[in-house]
Amino acid sequence: MPLTVRAKVVDIRTDTPISTDRFLVDTNAWYWLFYPRASQVLSTPRSYQLTDYPSYIEKAINSKSSLHCCALNFSELAHNIEKVEREIYADKSNLTINTKDFRHNYVGQRGKILDLINEIWSDVESMSVFLDMNLDITFMESALSLFPSVSLDGYDLFMAEMALKTGVTKVITDDGDYATVPGLTIFTSNSKIIAEAAKQRNKLITR
C-alpha cells in the first residue's frame, strides 16, 4: 500500500539548515548520532541512516539552528539502548536472556547500561532545547482526534501532537509514518518518503 504523504517533505541530502530553523529530532536520529554501537546491533541500520542524519544534525548545529528534544526521546532511547546492549551481551555470551532477567540478574551489566544511557542523554541535552509536555486531558483529546486520520502508533502520535501544539513542526526523522501528518514538515533521507512526496503535488519542497 503506497504511503499517503500529507506533510511537506525536505530531502536532507540536498538541504542546508538555516539559523531560523527549529527542529524536533526524532529518537532514532539521536540514537544514530550518539549511540557508539549503533552499527553493531544484530539488525544493523542501513548505511545512510548512520551517515545522513548525524551529518545533517551537525550542519544544523553549525548553522545555529535550534534542535529540540523531549521526554519521549529519553524513554525510547533508554528502551532501545537497553534492548540492544542485552542482545549484544547475550549473543557474545551464547545465552538467551530476557529483559526482566537481564535487569535483575546481571547487575554489573545493568549499571554499565544506565551509565551509558545517562551519558547519551546528557549529550542530547547539551545540544538541544527541551520541550515540555503536559499529558493532560486536553492534550489527550486533541491527540485522539488526530489519530484516525494519520498512520502513527500511539507513541509517535504523542510526538506529532506535541510538534503541532508547540509549533516546532519541522521534524528530523526517517520514519515515514510522520509524513502522514498534515502540518508537519519532514526532514529526511528516506528514499521511499521522498519518492512518494515527489509524486504528489507540492509535497516535496526545495528550500
Side-chain angles (χ1 to χ4, degrees):
M1 183 175 178
L3 176 69
T4 301
V5 178
R6 300 184 184 93
K8 302 292 186 181
V9 176
V10 175
D11 186 343
I12 63 173
R13 296 169 297 183
T14 57
D15 183 68
T16 300
I18 59 178
S19 61
T20 55
D21 282 330
R22 298 175 67 206
F23 294 112
L24 176 61
V25 183
D26 195 16
T27 303
N28 279 340
W30 289 126
Y31 175 85
W32 294 321
L33 176 63
F34 286 126
Y35 180 46
R37 302 218 282 183
S39 63
Q40 299 176 35
V41 300
L42 302 184
S43 53
T44 307
R46 297 180 181 179
S47 58
Y48 81 88
Q49 294 171 328
L50 294 170
T51 56
D52 291 355
Y53 293 97
S55 175
Y56 190 76
I57 290 173
E58 183 178 347
K59 289 179 183 178
I61 293 169
N62 291 336
S63 298
K64 309 298 183 185
S65 304
S66 295
L67 302 176
H68 294 271
C69 68
C70 66
L72 291 172
N73 290 133
F74 175 82
S75 60
E76 192 171 19
L77 270 173
H79 172 80
N80 291 347
I81 292 168
E82 180 189 35
K83 177 178 180 292
V84 169
E85 288 292 318
R86 173 178 57 81
E87 290 175 349
I88 291 173
Y89 181 81
D91 183 63
K92 288 184 176 180
S93 304
N94 197 27
L95 297 169
T96 300
I97 310 171
N98 66 41
T99 301
K100 298 292 187 182
D101 286 343
F102 190 66
R103 289 174 185 163
H104 295 285
N105 300 333
Y106 295 82
V107 178
Q109 291 300 314
R110 170 74 173 172
K112 292 177 183 178
I113 292 170
L114 294 181
D115 288 343
L116 176 61
I117 291 170
N118 285 327
E119 179 182 336
I120 289 173
W121 185 246
S122 293
D123 289 336
V124 171
E125 287 188 310
S126 71
M127 63 174 53
S128 61
V129 178
F130 190 85
L131 292 176
D132 288 322
M133 297 181 65
N134 183 8
L135 298 179
D136 60 9
I137 188 63
T138 301
F139 183 96
M140 284 296 304
E141 288 178 348
S142 182
L144 288 172
S145 69
L146 177 66
F147 209 8
S149 63
V150 298
S151 300
L152 295 170
D153 62 19
Y155 187 95
D156 290 337
L157 176 69
F158 281 3
M159 286 282 284
E161 179 66 19
M162 184 186 62
L164 295 170
K165 282 285 183 275
T166 60
V168 184
T169 56
K170 296 175 180 177
V171 183
I172 299 175
T173 183
D174 194 62
D175 189 343
D177 292 346
Y178 283 98
T180 68
V181 182
L184 297 184
T185 303
I186 306 306
F187 288 73
T188 188
S189 64
N190 184 316
S191 58
K192 180 180 178 181
I193 303 174
I194 293 166
E196 289 298 329
K199 295 176 185 177
Q200 300 178 39
R201 185 177 180 182
N202 298 328
K203 293 303 182 185
L204 184 63
I205 61 175
T206 302
R207 305 195 303 165

